[in-house]
């Protein structure tokens, strides 16, 4: 292992049993050493995702089991402080972003091969929440195969995932209609999408703004799959990322990652190319201290807002 100096103990959020947000407690824990192929990061910011509170509440025990106690957090941005055996791509001091294990902490381990360099012009906060949204957006668009000139409908377009799907699709020449609350309509217009309010009558409103028809649908909000099958006349080009049972009931495709579908580093590169061109919008909804991880989860559980929630150690 090669490294700069780092302490043997650091602060981390620890969950000891499944339950409410009050289960997220700050503790002093040993700082782990990177194994072969791993990197140890000093976390500068950690992305908070809806899956984090779903895991904490015990809702995903069957799909994503965790060994209690555990530290939540699947993505972060930070500085490399140590690299494990066989890692030559990164060195102490490098600024990186990507998936991590236990990101709600001062120090976290990452798989060296899944990290990307953080551009100097991207804030730690925005960088920390990029990986999950970009990877999911890229995966969904690969499955939907939305071509230039086609029309994509995105339910939940103002969220972390929805925002990246809209921007990737617009950049590749697609027309995008996105559903969001009224407070996010101007934001969606800025991203290049046509905004539509969700709720009763949503599919009539979509037909009004897309009289040419809709070619493909992402449901990133949940609850919109059956109506989307009606809109398209079949389930073939509809992907859901929220509910497996809803996908099964409607004959649509659910994607949850893994299974060889994920190309996270390429997805981040796709987003960073937009950043380099000066066109990437990565709004940060809220930045909270590590000690208020419970507040971050409560905010995420509300399910409304624009962009990412971030924790800073
Ligand atoms: N399967 C996977 O691989 C995968 C990966 C990542 C995320 N996910 C899941 O995908 C979902 C979205 O994740 P995220 O990170 O984008 O969440 P997020 O950032 O919290 O965004 C949620 C968005 O949903 C919008 N919304 C709420 N109710 C809606 C409705 N009825 N119709 C349309 N939009 C609605 C909100 O916008 P307003 O403020 O305008 O209401 C908000 O912008 C979560 O359930 C998450 O667990 C799955």
């Amino acid at each position: 292992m090669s490294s700069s100096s780092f302490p043997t103990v650091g602060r981390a959020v620890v969950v000891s049993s499944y339950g409410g947000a009050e289960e997220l407690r700050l503790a002093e824990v040993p700082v782990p050493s990177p194994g072969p192929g791993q990197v140890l990061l000093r976390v500068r910011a950690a992305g908070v995702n809806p899956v984090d509170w779903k895991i904490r509440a015990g809702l995903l025990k069957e799909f994503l089991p965790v060994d209690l106690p555990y530290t939540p957090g699947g993505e972060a941005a930070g500085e490399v402080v140590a690299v494990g055996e066989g890692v030559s791509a990164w060195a102490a001091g490098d600024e990186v972003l990507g998936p991590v294990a236990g990101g709600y902490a001062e120090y976290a381990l990452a798989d060296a091969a899944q990290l990307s360099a953080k551009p100097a012009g991207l804030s730690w906060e925005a960088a920390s929440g990029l990986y999950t949204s970009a990877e999911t957006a890229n995966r969904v668009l690969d499955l939907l195969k939305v071509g230039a000139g086609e029309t994509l409908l995105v339910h939940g377009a103002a969220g972390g995932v929805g925002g990246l799907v809209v921007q990737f699709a617009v950049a590749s020449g697609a027309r995008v209609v996105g559903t969001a609350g009224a407070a996010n309509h101007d934001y969606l217009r800025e991203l290049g999408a046509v905004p539509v309010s969700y709720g009763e009558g949503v599919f009539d409103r979509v037909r009004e703004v897309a009289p040419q028809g809709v070619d493909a649908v992402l449901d990133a909000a949940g609850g919109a799959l059956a109506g989307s099958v009606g809109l398209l006349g079949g389930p073939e080009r509809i992907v859901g990322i929220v509910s497996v049972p809803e996908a099964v009931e409607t004959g649509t495709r659910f994607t949850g990652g893994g299974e060889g579908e994920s190309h996270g580093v390429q997805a981040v590169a796709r987003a960073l190319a937009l950043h380099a061109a000066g066109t990437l919008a990565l709004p940060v909804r809220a930045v909270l201290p590590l000690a208020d991880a419970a507040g971050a989860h409560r905010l995420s559980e509300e399910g409304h807002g624009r962009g990412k929630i971030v924790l800073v150690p």
Side-chain angles (χ1 to χ4, degrees):
M1 183 176 83
S2 80
S3 67
S4 56
S5 66
F6 60 93
T8 55
V9 173
R11 291 177 308 137
V13 174
V14 175
V15 172
S16 299
S17 55
Y18 292 123
E22 69 282 357
E23 296 297 333
L24 298 155
R25 295 193 182 91
L26 204 54
E28 298 269 313
V29 300
V31 173
S33 287
Q38 290 184 323
V39 159
L40 179 69
L41 298 185
R42 181 163 84 90
V43 175
R44 298 291 296 259
V48 173
N49 287 291
V51 72
D52 299 349
W53 68 258
K54 294 176 188 177
I55 291 172
R56 185 217 70 225
L59 302 177
L60 300 178
K61 277 180 211 165
E62 286 171 32
F63 306 108
L64 296 169
V66 289
D67 291 328
L68 296 164
Y70 77 101
T71 293
E75 63 179 352
E79 290 144 352
V80 174
V81 291
V83 300
E85 194 188 318
V87 176
S88 56
W90 307 111
D94 287 347
E95 298 185 350
V96 296
L97 67 95
V100 299
Y104 296 11
E106 286 183 294
Y107 294 91
L109 291 175
D111 177 349
Q114 295 194 60
L115 294 173
S116 304
K118 183 189 85 66
L122 188 63
S123 71
W124 288 112
E125 290 83 0
S128 71
L130 177 57
Y131 178 85
T132 302
S133 297
E135 188 279 321
T136 308
N138 200 51
R139 172 160 39 93
V140 162
L141 288 170
D142 276 356
L143 292 170
L144 288 173
K145 297 186 174 37
V146 180
E150 287 197 308
T151 300
L152 169 69
L153 169 62
V154 180
H155 298 280
V161 174
L164 262 293
V165 170
V166 169
Q167 292 179 80
F168 286 168
V170 167
S172 65
R175 276 180 295 222
V176 182
V177 176
T179 71
N184 286 323
H185 283 197
D186 281 345
Y187 165 62
L188 291 190
R189 283 189 198 98
E190 283 165 24
L191 299 187
V194 177
V196 163
S197 293
Y198 52 77
E200 186 70 29
V202 59
F203 292 102
D204 292 333
R205 291 189 286 281
V206 170
R207 284 186 192 94
E208 269 171 38
V209 300
Q212 76 283 2
V214 168
D215 300 294
V217 178
L218 164 65
D219 184 6
L225 292 176
S228 298
V229 172
L231 180 74
L232 264 62
E236 291 79 19
R237 292 189 75 190
I238 301 174
V239 165
I241 60 169
V242 178
S243 165
V244 174
E246 197 191 334
V248 171
E249 274 166 32
T250 53
T252 56
R253 169 124 190 201
F254 177 86
T255 173
E259 307 124 33
E261 295 169 342
S262 302
H263 303 286
V265 170
Q266 291 96 316
V268 170
R270 188 175 184 179
L272 292 182
L274 297 179
H275 175 72
T279 62
L280 182 70
L282 274 183
V284 173
R285 193 185 314 173
V287 180
L288 294 96
L290 207 52
D292 195 15
H297 273 211
R298 290 188 183 106
L299 203 55
S300 180
E301 286 181 58
E302 286 173 12
H304 298 286
R306 179 185 318 162
K308 303 292 292 198
I309 300 166
V310 173
L311 287 172
V312 286

